[in-house]
Amino acid sequence: MAFTVSTDARLDVVDVTDEVAAAVPGGASGTVTVFVEHTTAGVVINEAEPRLLEDMRTYLADVVPDEGWAHDELDGNADSHLRAMLLGPSATIPVADGDLSLGRWQSVLLIDCDGPRERTVRVVS
């Protein structure tokens, strides 16, 4: 199952936990993999507290500078590819009786490093 997420900023963090949970078959047990089908976005499990989401944006911007990359000569988004590489394109989540087995403060977050765009997220069980 796949769903689309619209992002609002160049570096944006979107909580997609509800969409992922809705994609889990009822009564399923095992794992699901959440995969973003783009080279400039990532999926992580973390807390969706608003100040922490802002810290994530700040951290990624600080770790990978916006400019000075060879790929920028092609299309100006090397920073986005490098940030996404640090995040990874997927996360695997345990499932029990059709429910995500996330910890109390854990959420599934899509981090778009080259927005605003529409992103396709696939949930595979």
Side-chain angles (χ1 to χ4, degrees), residues 51-117:
R51 290 166 294 197
L52 181 59
L53 300 181
E54 186 57 37
D55 290 340
M56 290 177 195
R57 292 179 197 95
T58 300
Y59 170 77
L60 289 169
D62 287 349
V63 169
V64 180
D66 292 343
E67 300 173 347
W69 305 103
H71 179 75
D72 286 343
E73 295 174 14
L74 180 63
D75 60 7
N77 70 346
D79 59 311
S80 300
H81 287 280
L82 297 170
R83 290 171 182 153
M85 183 179 68
L86 294 174
L87 299 167
S90 65
T92 300
I93 305 165
V95 173
D97 297 321
D99 294 320
L100 298 175
S101 296
L102 293 169
R104 178 179 180 144
W105 302 111
Q106 290 182 316
S107 296
V108 184
L109 306 174
L110 168 74
I111 303 181
D112 189 351
C113 302
D114 196 23
R117 292 181 186 264

